[in-house]
Amino acid sequence: MRRRGGGFTLVELVIVIVLLAIVATISVRFVTLSTGGAIDTGARQQRALATVVISEQVSRALREALPTSVRTNGACIEWMPTIAGSNYLNLPRGANPDSFEAVSLADGQAAGGRIVVYGYGGNLYNPGSPGPISPPATVPAGNGPVTVTFDGGASHRFNTNSPQRRFFVVASPVTFCQDGGFLYRYRNYGIQPGIASSLPGSLPNREVLAANLVPGSVQFQVTPPTLLRGAVVTFAFALQDADSGEVTQVSQEVQIRNVP
């Protein structure tokens, strides 16, 4: 029996609607998956870039450390940054020595900080005389021999010599420490006998170095220096995406090449 006219029957119309619905559902699902994949890829790339930035910041800071000053308790690491270094001509002598003669710093520059000689003969975080670390001192500008003077008329004796007659000028200690999901940088808190004790609680002496860390994921390990090589610091951390919960883990080694 032939159908009159050029219209559609109700059955045909329903079939068309169902087919269009199936196509639309597949298209929406495809677009959703594609968009989700692009968002996830972008989030992974941002997280990977963040890990590179964090690793580079930690590595650059640790490369400036005096090897014998690096110490850790696992979640925190502390060290004394090296400002400058040169050779001494003689070490402080006499009843109350307050200065010594040394070769001028590179380019004849001046520097201020504590003086460390050798650093293997005692605890740098328990300063005393005799000992490897001095009170605050000043290395004056100049070319040729200069007189390094301990500030405020303080006196100090070093308890050992350097095989290469080297001395370093170091700044106040710096600590990297995880607290919850953040990695903080602490400074200007002085020399403390224990690591991660009496640290500043706010800016400008406590700065956020990294965020979105997995709590408890930051781990530091120090291989002490020897007479043949510098110290090696291994550190690991994990970043977590705040939306997806996906985690990116990082582990890296840093060799500290400053030598006595």
Side-chain angles (χ1 to χ4, degrees):
M1 181 177 177
R2 297 182 61 186
R3 186 175 61 189
R4 297 180 180 179
F8 296 98
T9 64
L10 180 60
V11 174
E12 291 173 332
L13 185 59
V14 170
I15 292 174
V16 170
I17 293 174
V18 171
L19 292 176
L20 289 176
I22 294 173
V23 172
T25 301
I26 296 174
S27 300
V28 170
R29 181 63 176 169
F30 176 77
V31 172
T32 301
L33 291 176
S34 300
T35 303
I39 294 175
D40 290 343
T41 301
R44 292 189 188 100
Q45 291 176 341
Q46 290 182 343
R47 201 162 55 251
L49 179 60
T51 61
V52 172
V53 173
I54 296 170
S55 297
E56 187 63 21
Q57 286 181 315
V58 174
S59 298
R60 287 188 179 186
L62 289 174
R63 288 191 190 106
E64 298 178 353
L66 185 72
T68 52
S69 72
V70 182
R71 61 178 183 172
T72 182
N73 63 2
C76 302
I77 189 168
E78 184 177 26
W79 72 96
M80 296 180 184
T82 301
I83 299 174
S86 186
N87 297 86
Y88 60 81
L89 301 178
N90 56 65
L91 289 180
R93 293 184 176 88
N96 296 296
D98 58 2
S99 65
F100 65 93
E101 300 299 312
V103 178
S104 60
L105 301 180
D107 299 326
Q109 297 182 355
R114 293 177 182 265
I115 306 298
V116 176
V117 174
Y118 201 51
Y120 293 93
N123 183 3
L124 297 181
Y125 294 92
N126 187 20
S129 181
I133 184 169
S134 77
T138 300
V139 182
N143 294 312
V146 295
T147 301
V148 181
T149 306
F150 303 131
D151 298 344
S155 63
H156 183 79
R157 293 175 181 273
F158 295 99
N159 60 344
T160 186
N161 293 312
S162 165
Q164 301 299 323
R165 304 177 69 86
R166 292 283 292 170
F167 74 91
F168 288 99
V169 185
V170 298
S172 297
V174 176
T175 295
F176 285 168
C177 197
Q178 182 178 17
D179 185 2
F182 296 91
L183 180 64
Y184 290 101
R185 174 190 176 100
Y186 300 89
R187 57 191 178 93
N188 296 330
Y189 54 85
I191 295 179
Q192 304 292 338
I195 187 172
S197 60
S198 302
L199 294 176
S202 60
L203 290 171
N205 296 324
R206 186 184 78 163
E207 305 166 320
V208 175
L209 189 67
N212 298 324
L213 295 171
V214 177
S217 66
V218 176
Q219 292 293 321
F220 294 100
Q221 183 178 357
V222 178
T223 303
T226 68
L227 296 178
L228 300 178
R229 58 155 179 79
V232 177
V233 176
T234 303
F235 64 91
F237 62 92
L239 283 182
Q240 186 172 32
D241 188 274
D243 297 324
S244 66
E246 189 174 3
V247 173
T248 300
Q249 295 183 335
V250 177
S251 179
Q252 186 166 329
E253 286 188 349
V254 181
Q255 186 172 7
I256 304 174
R257 299 183 180 275
N258 297 328
V259 296

